[in-house]
Amino acid sequence: AGAAAQPRPAPERRAAAAGVRPEASKRQRLYVKIAAAREQGELLERLQELLARHAGQLETVLFYARTQRTLALSDKYNVKPSPRLIGEIEALLGEGSAVVR
């Protein structure tokens, strides 16, 4: 007589047990592309100030084009997305440098 099979937890429970939040994959973020020519201390400081002025709940992720690396910023730089914020980032770092997805 074999032991009864234990019911498997729902995928959400397995993910939670593994420390993964199911909503994490669906959560939107602000992605900011930093072109190689824009990797300058002064521009990055201005970006920090800009993000701080638009504080909110959306996580911000930087993408460095030269090295193809991403960097998730601390909660200190979470933003409230708006057309104005996107426009200000693009004015600083170039058209197409900011997207929410």
Side-chain angles (χ1 to χ4, degrees):
Q6 292 291 324
R8 292 190 55 149
E12 300 81 33
R13 289 197 163 211
R14 288 195 308 269
V20 177
R21 295 181 305 220
E23 72 278 4
S25 61
K26 300 176 195 168
R27 187 176 319 144
Q28 287 191 320
R29 294 174 177 89
L30 170 67
Y31 289 88
V32 180
K33 181 178 177 182
I34 312 288
R38 308 278 182 161
E39 285 187 36
Q40 302 165 14
E42 179 185 324
L43 284 178
L44 297 179
E45 285 177 23
R46 288 172 54 197
L47 176 61
Q48 285 180 329
E49 293 167 3
L50 176 59
L51 296 174
R53 285 197 313 268
H54 291 269
Q57 297 298 314
L58 202 68
E59 294 176 16
T60 301
V61 177
L62 301 184
F63 172 74
Y64 288 89
R66 182 176 54 84
T67 59
Q68 299 290 298
R69 297 200 96 121
T70 58
L71 174 66
L73 298 183
S74 72
D75 291 348
K76 175 180 175 182
Y77 297 105
N78 285 4
V79 296
K80 179 178 182 183
S82 68
R84 179 177 177 181
L85 171 61
I86 301 298
E88 289 183 41
I89 293 172
E90 290 184 339
L92 182 64
L93 298 174
E95 188 174 335
S97 60
V99 64
V100 173
R101 59 178 174 161

